[in-house]
Amino acid sequence: LEEEKKECRPALKDDPEYAKYFKMLKMKMPLGAVKQAMVRDGKDPAILDMDPDKPLKQKNESLGKQKEKTKAPKVVRKKLFWNAIDQSKLRRDSLWAQAQSEPLLLEGLDYDADEFANLFTSTVKGKGKVKIEKSNDTSSCQKVTKPKQPKVQLIDDRRNMNGSILLAKFKNKDFNGLAENVDHLDCMDMGETELCALRQLLPTKDESLALQSYLPAPGAPTDAMESAISKLGNCEKYMVAMLNVANVSCKFDCLLYRAQFDGRVEELTKEINSLQVACSSVRECDKLQRLLVYALRLGNQLNTGDSGNTAAAITLDSLLKLHEAKAFDKKTSVLHYLISIVKKNDIDVLSLAEELKPLQGAERIVGESLVKTRKELVDGLGLVKSMAKEESTRCSKEEENKVTSRQAPECSIDSSSSGGESDQISLPKEDDYLQTTNIGKFAIEADSTLNCVSLMLDNANDTFSDLLNYFGEDEDMPTNVFFTTLNRFLSMFECAREDVDRKDRAKLRQEKMAEKRKPLSK
């Protein structure tokens, strides 16, 4: 009966135990991948080398029984520790949602399955553990301590000497005239450096008390005041002149704002444009999108093989893990292997770095810093408008007083007839106030410029938000982190591509040398 059972045993291709593996070969799956599947299932991969039309022999049956008794070797697979994105969080128009129509493994791509198995899988007897080296790269943070400024009591020698050096260019000028220009916000010809130096020399509270106690009391003769001031140095003379300017610090802030406005707006506009161009470059780069899909398929093949839960999407920082994960030969990284796959299947993708050059400048741009700069400009303009209105009101009152003093006799005669005409005078609008002074005219132009810049910044921020949603990234990711991650990956990608090209050229040279060494056939 046993011999009849042996003779009645079906052919290998029809044997229920091995039929599915021969069916996989029939579907043109690589032999190495099918053998790997048999090892995983505890079967003898040598069965595939036998004649599929003949039944399994007794020798091989006993061999199979021995294999069943012994534990199958454990297959250790190199893992890619990436960050998968929850599929439920993806928008329908995102890159990863569009990629769902394609397979999430390497099936259908031109790749060497045997090479893949040799590089990224290994059989381990007993309990095999893969040690993962964790690099704890902690950068030492050095505390930056600002130098303590020496406390100024009255006017010490050091401050007096430094102030005199800074004021040397004004030795032929009248400090009282300079103070009058500051009071009327009329120092439009001064640059940022000069204004900063003058503002630093404004008297402190203690210095103001010291100077006021030194000077003659208010109402003293002019000669006594001039005599006291003449005994002071240039620094003290400048401070005495600035004591008569109301809100002197705010007025210097307005003058500094005017001197810095054009440069700050130009720099802000340049960064906004760079951000907008970088976002458009990434969003429109079809090569990057295709590369991300290839990376997803390769990572799923590594992590799950032929079965398991495949990831539907990955974060951009997962691309950096491709360079860190190494094959068992400790030379080939997953990034090298990804490039070799792309080179065989979609070589046009290898030139994506040329399309993403605008990203190099974008990694230094911080979106929060742009918003902060805009706020500072808007707040500073509010101060300028406020001081310009005060100056305009003061100038108007001075003109009214001059006119009133000249027309005093006539006004006293006709005062009864004038009635309540003053009550019917309408208050001027804000622009009317601002148009009367130079600083006010500047404020009107600056307001229009800031409105345009604000619109540009809002558009750039909206574009970046859409870009984050397109890639399924966190909505709170800063702009510099996003572009720095991409730039780091592009740098790694270019280095790995050069390694692969160098390896391919060396292989080609070896093949040519081997071809030349072959004896010529007669």
Side-chain angles (χ1 to χ4, degrees):
L1 294 174
E2 292 180 0
E3 292 179 0
E4 291 179 358
K5 289 181 180 179
K6 294 175 185 177
E7 293 176 358
C8 295
R9 185 153 189 173
L12 281 174
K13 64 180 181 180
D14 299 325
D15 192 323
E17 190 175 357
Y18 303 106
K20 65 176 182 178
Y21 304 111
F22 287 99
K23 187 176 181 181
M24 293 167 69
L25 291 176
K26 190 175 181 181
M27 295 172 64
K28 297 184 179 180
M29 289 188 66
L31 179 61
V34 180
K35 285 186 176 182
Q36 181 184 346
M38 293 188 70
V39 172
R40 180 193 62 200
D41 297 339
K43 308 294 182 183
D44 183 11
I47 298 295
L48 297 179
D49 298 328
M50 299 181 182
D51 190 350
D53 296 324
K54 295 182 180 180
L56 184 64
K57 295 181 180 179
Q58 177 66 21
K59 182 179 178 180
N60 289 321
E61 284 183 357
S62 60
L63 180 62
K65 291 179 180 180
Q66 292 177 3
K67 296 244 177 169
E68 289 179 1
K69 292 179 181 180
T70 59
K71 291 184 178 180
K74 185 177 180 180
V75 178
V76 180
R77 186 185 302 276
K78 277 290 183 178
K79 297 290 186 180
L80 185 61
F81 297 95
W82 57 16
N83 299 322
I85 301 175
D86 188 357
Q87 191 171 0
S88 61
K89 296 181 180 180
L90 298 177
R91 299 195 315 181
R92 292 183 178 179
D93 58 345
S94 67
L95 164 67
W96 304 114
Q98 298 173 11
Q100 296 302 310
S101 59
E102 300 184 12
L104 295 179
L105 295 173
L106 297 180
E107 298 176 4
L109 293 179
D110 180 10
Y111 80 103
D112 191 337
D114 293 333
E115 181 187 19
F116 179 87
N118 292 332
L119 286 173
F120 300 108
T121 61
S122 177
T123 56
V124 180
K125 294 182 180 179
K127 296 182 179 180
K129 295 183 179 179
V130 179
K131 296 183 179 180
I132 303 171
E133 296 182 358
K134 296 183 179 179
S135 59
N136 297 324
D137 185 12
T138 57
S139 58
S140 60
C141 300
Q142 297 181 352
K143 294 183 179 180
V144 180
T145 58
K146 296 182 179 179
K148 294 183 178 180
Q149 297 181 353
K151 293 183 179 180
V152 179
Q153 296 181 355
L154 300 178
I155 303 174
D156 62 4
D157 295 338
R158 184 174 181 178
R159 180 165 165 82
N160 195 359
M161 180 182 64
N162 293 336
S164 299
I165 294 173
L166 292 173
L167 293 170
K169 61 178 67 177
F170 300 106
K171 60 183 180 181
N172 295 327
K173 291 187 179 181
D174 180 15
F175 291 129
N176 290 327
L178 177 61
E180 184 178 357
N181 289 337
V182 173
D183 192 25
H184 292 282
L185 297 170
D186 197 17
C187 295
M188 310 299 286
D189 56 337
M190 284 192 183
E192 177 183 354
T193 304
E194 294 175 326
L195 291 172
C196 285
L198 291 176
R199 196 188 189 290
Q200 290 177 359
L201 290 179
L202 291 178
T204 63
K205 183 178 180 180
D206 292 337
E207 290 170 346
S208 299
L209 293 175
L211 290 171
Q212 289 172 356
S213 62
Y214 167 78
L215 295 173
T222 305
D223 295 341
M225 181 67 71
E226 292 179 353
S227 175
I229 294 176
S230 64
K231 298 178 182 179
L232 300 174
N234 285 337
C235 187
E236 289 87 347
K237 289 179 181 178
Y238 168 78
M239 292 181 179
V240 169
M242 292 300 165
L243 288 176
N244 299 322
V245 180
N247 297 324
V248 62
S249 297
C250 293
K251 290 181 178 179
F252 263 106
D253 289 340
C254 292
L255 294 173
L256 271 172
Y257 180 90
R258 168 66 183 87
Q260 297 171 347
F261 182 79
D262 292 339
R264 295 186 68 183
V265 168
E266 182 181 359
E267 183 179 358
L268 179 60
T269 304
K270 183 179 179 180
E271 291 184 346
I272 293 173
N273 290 332
S274 298
L275 177 60
Q276 187 74 44
V277 172
C279 290
S280 300
S281 300
V282 175
R283 182 64 177 83
E284 297 171 2
C285 185
D286 180 64
K287 296 177 182 178
L288 176 62
Q289 299 166 16
R290 281 144 54 191
L291 180 64
L292 287 173
V293 175
Y294 285 127
L296 175 68
R297 297 172 67 178
L298 175 58
N300 280 330
Q301 187 74 30
L302 280 171
N303 290 341
T304 63
D306 298 329
S307 61
N309 296 324
T310 57
I314 56 174
T315 57
L316 287 179
D317 60 357
S318 299
L319 297 175
L320 305 180
K321 310 287 181 65
L322 300 176
H323 176 69
E324 299 171 2
K326 301 288 185 180
F328 284 102
D329 63 358
K330 297 182 180 181
K331 296 180 180 179
T332 306
S333 67
V334 178
L335 183 57
H336 286 109
Y337 196 76
L338 174 64
I339 292 174
S340 64
I341 291 178
V342 172
K343 195 172 184 180
K344 293 178 181 178
N345 296 271
D346 197 356
I347 193 172
D348 188 43
V349 173
L350 297 180
S351 60
L352 80 147
E354 293 295 326
E355 297 183 8
L356 297 177
K357 284 185 176 180
L359 272 63
Q360 297 176 0
E363 68 177 14
R364 296 187 295 271
I365 300 174
V366 182
E368 294 180 357
S369 178
L370 299 182
V371 175
K372 182 180 178 181
T373 301
R374 177 180 64 178
K375 186 178 183 303
E376 291 175 353
L377 290 172
V378 172
D379 293 344
L381 182 59
L383 176 63
V384 172
K385 287 183 177 180
S386 176
M387 300 304 296
K389 289 179 184 178
E390 291 183 8
E391 176 62 19
S392 177
T393 303
R394 186 176 68 172
C395 292
S396 299
K397 289 182 178 180
E398 290 178 356
E399 289 295 328
E400 290 177 1
N401 292 335
K402 291 180 181 179
V403 173
T404 302
S405 62
R406 289 197 299 266
Q407 298 179 351
E410 299 178 3
C411 292
S412 61
I413 297 174
D414 300 334
S415 60
S416 60
S417 61
S418 60
E421 291 181 359
S422 59
D423 297 335
Q424 301 177 359
I425 299 176
S426 59
L427 294 175
K429 298 180 180 179
E430 182 181 62
D431 287 353
D432 296 335
Y433 274 118
L434 298 178
Q435 287 286 0
T436 58
T437 59
N438 291 332
I439 193 70
K441 293 176 182 178
F442 158 74
I444 295 175
E445 296 178 359
D447 193 13
S448 176
T449 302
L450 283 183
N451 288 334
C452 296
V453 173
S454 295
L455 182 61
M456 292 173 57
L457 180 57
D458 291 338
N459 291 336
N461 287 334
D462 291 342
T463 302
F464 180 68
S465 298
D466 292 340
L467 188 63
L468 291 178
N469 290 329
Y470 180 72
F471 284 98
E473 296 292 335
D474 185 4
E475 295 180 355
D476 297 329
M477 177 180 285
T479 55
N480 59 322
V481 174
F482 179 86
F483 292 112
T484 299
T485 301
L486 278 179
N487 280 328
R488 286 183 60 192
F489 171 70
L490 289 176
S491 178
M492 295 176 182
F493 183 84
E494 286 299 303
C495 293
R497 184 179 63 83
E498 292 177 0
D499 292 342
V500 172
D501 291 342
R502 192 182 305 111
K503 184 177 179 180
D504 290 346
R505 288 194 297 268
K507 184 177 180 181
L508 184 61
R509 285 196 299 268
Q510 291 177 0
E511 291 177 353
K512 289 183 178 179
M513 293 293 293
E515 189 70 23
K516 290 180 180 179
R517 290 171 184 169
K518 289 183 180 180
L520 298 175
S521 57
K522 295 182 180 180

